[in-house]
Amino acid sequence: MKKSSGFRRTLHDRFFGTKWAVLLLASVLLVFFAQTVDNKSLTQSAIVIGLGIDRTDDAFTVSTQSVVITGGAGESQSSQSYAVHTADGRTISEALDKISQKMGLLVSLSHCNVLVLSQEALRSDHALLFAPLTGTYALPEQAVVVASADTPSKVLSARTATTVASPYYIQASLLQNLGGDGLTPVTVKDFLAHSLSRSGAVCLPYVEISEMPDQPQTPDGESEGVSEFFLNKNLVVCKDSSFVIGEELAQAANLFNRRDTLGKLSPVLPTGEAVEFRVIDVRQSKKADGMSVKCKIEIAVSFMEAQNVANGGKFTPSSQVVSAAAKELEKEISDNLAECYRLSVERNADFLRLQNEVYKKAGRELPEDCLADISFGCEVKVTVKESD
């Protein structure tokens, strides 16, 4: 018994001796690396929430919107404002360095969730365009990429009635589905994957802004310079060109390409009844057979509203007008997808990504630029479910 007790005490002493040795070693390593790694304070960094890139023939114009925090730990209150800075450079890094010099802070893109690109910038080599942003400046791969007819600096500096900074509005509209009905976010990772794929085309959310005709009222009177944003179109970006597609085609293309397409669908019957549905779920099944691609899209929706109905009354998912509207919606989406296919062949811009589907089976034997040789058909099924 004494030997057993002594053996247990020896194990106990060795265990705790090893434990304290490990803790001591970890402490030494932490102290060592803390002294050799340069950790930049927040007071030395410009926290960028929105980034914009434009391009001329021989230079980039880069704009950043940063959070500026005034006040400190020793003051009773601190506040934040937003500043837009713009600089030109032969490279993106040179322009960002100039912005750092203007601000007296180090530019950090690690909190940037919105990237606004002009159509001129989108004509650059996409891999070279994004390499310094994600590599050197730590732009998140999940940052949202959008395009605009206006300059990126104008988009970033535009004032909105609902939020302080425009990047927050764009982020909420696309990531939280609060304003971009039928449009899906395209992240940095998505953009590179699609543009470098065999199809080589991307549908980017297209931002349009205009000054509000009726400015918001504040306690100090009417506001000035407040803009409203429109996010209901796509910019198709391909190897040789870019062009805008309208709301109905953009919505159909997104329903075909993405399962996370939400928003509302509003068919109008030939007899004038207007019905509105909310998208609950989207499922696609695509099959390539030789140079032919067939697809079936199943869309689950909930009924929201019906107007211009002669009989009136209460409507349910099984009501005749609701069922007729679901059938009309199936036809509308099918027709819009057929128009998307026609337009993609005409412009040689495979934004339905049909070549990717054929390539999965054909592999490297698939000829280059063969979109015109691929036939396409799609069946759409809309199911109305009870509202949640």
Side-chain angles (χ1 to χ4, degrees):
M1 295 294 291
K2 290 182 179 180
K3 287 183 179 181
S4 177
S5 176
F7 179 71
R8 284 197 297 269
R9 280 197 301 271
T10 300
L11 286 178
H12 180 274
D13 294 342
R14 286 183 179 177
F15 173 77
F16 280 97
T18 303
K19 174 184 174 182
W20 289 113
V22 171
L23 291 174
L24 178 61
L25 178 61
S27 300
V28 171
L29 290 174
L30 288 172
V31 171
F32 173 77
F33 283 110
Q35 291 176 343
T36 57
V37 176
D38 186 15
N39 293 318
K40 299 300 181 184
S41 167
L42 285 177
T43 59
Q44 296 177 282
S45 301
I47 302 175
V48 176
I49 59 172
L51 176 69
I53 301 177
D54 197 356
R55 186 172 187 177
T56 59
D57 291 337
D58 57 356
F60 289 95
T61 300
V62 178
S63 302
T64 62
Q65 185 170 60
S66 308
V67 180
V68 179
I69 299 175
T70 58
E75 301 182 23
S76 58
Q77 289 184 338
S78 63
S79 61
Q80 64 182 26
S81 58
Y82 303 90
V84 175
H85 291 82
T86 301
D88 295 334
R90 290 166 296 179
T91 65
I92 295 173
S93 298
E94 181 183 350
L96 286 171
D97 287 343
K98 289 181 179 179
I99 292 176
S100 291
Q101 294 169 13
K102 288 181 180 182
M103 301 182 68
L105 298 169
L106 296 172
V107 169
S108 170
L109 300 184
S110 58
H111 293 83
C112 179
N113 285 323
V114 175
L115 172 60
V116 184
L117 298 176
S118 69
Q119 295 191 46
E120 290 72 20
L122 285 164
R123 296 190 184 101
S124 305
D125 184 296
H126 296 156
L128 296 179
L129 182 69
F130 283 92
L133 300 176
T134 57
T136 306
Y137 294 95
L139 177 71
E141 291 183 351
Q142 297 305 315
V144 173
V145 184
V146 299
S148 177
D150 296 292
T151 62
S153 60
K154 183 178 180 180
V155 175
L156 293 177
S157 58
R159 294 176 56 203
T160 69
T162 54
T163 57
V164 177
S166 59
Y168 289 150
Y169 171 83
I170 295 172
Q171 182 181 348
S173 296
L174 295 174
L175 295 181
Q176 301 170 29
N177 193 45
L178 297 182
D181 267 353
L183 296 189
T184 54
V186 176
T187 65
V188 170
K189 185 176 180 180
D190 294 333
F191 182 91
L192 288 173
H194 298 327
S195 66
L196 299 176
S197 70
R198 188 58 185 268
S199 294
V202 190
C203 283
L204 285 178
Y206 191 67
V207 180
E208 295 176 299
I209 56 176
S210 64
E211 188 167 319
M212 295 181 68
D214 299 314
Q215 292 288 306
Q217 296 292 325
T218 70
D220 299 324
E222 188 176 76
S223 301
E224 293 182 359
V226 177
S227 299
E228 53 187 345
F229 281 56
F230 300 93
L231 270 166
N232 57 356
K233 298 177 182 178
N234 274 152
L235 179 73
V236 176
V237 180
C238 53
K239 298 173 183 177
D240 302 319
S241 63
S242 60
F243 56 93
V244 177
I245 57 175
E247 181 175 3
E248 292 184 351
L249 295 187
Q251 205 168 50
N254 287 319
L255 287 168
F256 177 82
N257 285 323
R258 300 283 295 260
R259 291 190 58 179
D260 54 354
T261 303
L262 299 175
K264 299 179 181 65
L265 300 171
S266 307
V268 178
L269 295 173
T271 48
E273 295 90 345
V275 179
E276 185 154 308
F277 297 111
R278 178 173 63 87
V279 178
I280 300 173
D281 185 43
V282 181
R283 297 181 183 274
Q284 308 101 342
S285 58
K286 303 174 186 177
K287 183 179 180 181
D289 183 9
M291 298 296 285
S292 174
V293 176
K294 301 294 182 183
C295 177
K296 182 176 182 181
I297 304 177
E298 297 178 284
I299 306 171
V301 300
S302 63
F303 168 71
M304 295 186 66
E305 182 181 0
Q307 295 293 343
N308 300 329
V309 182
N311 297 331
K314 183 178 180 180
F315 299 98
T316 67
S318 58
S319 298
Q320 182 177 358
V321 67
V322 177
S323 299
K327 291 294 183 184
E328 182 66 23
L329 184 58
E330 292 174 352
K331 181 178 182 302
E332 285 184 8
I333 296 173
S334 296
D335 290 346
N336 288 332
L337 282 174
E339 177 61 18
C340 284
Y341 170 70
R342 186 201 65 78
L343 183 62
S344 68
V345 173
E346 178 186 307
R347 304 295 293 264
N348 194 27
D350 189 12
F351 60 93
L352 294 179
R353 301 200 279 275
L354 302 181
Q355 292 181 84
N356 286 356
E357 293 299 320
V358 176
Y359 184 77
K360 291 176 183 178
K361 283 195 171 182
R364 296 181 180 179
E365 295 179 0
L366 184 68
E368 296 288 342
D369 294 326
C370 61
L371 177 59
D373 299 323
I374 299 175
S375 63
F376 171 69
C378 188
E379 176 188 351
V380 179
K381 175 65 177 176
V382 174
T383 303
V384 185
K385 297 187 175 182
E386 295 287 347
S387 301
D388 294 336

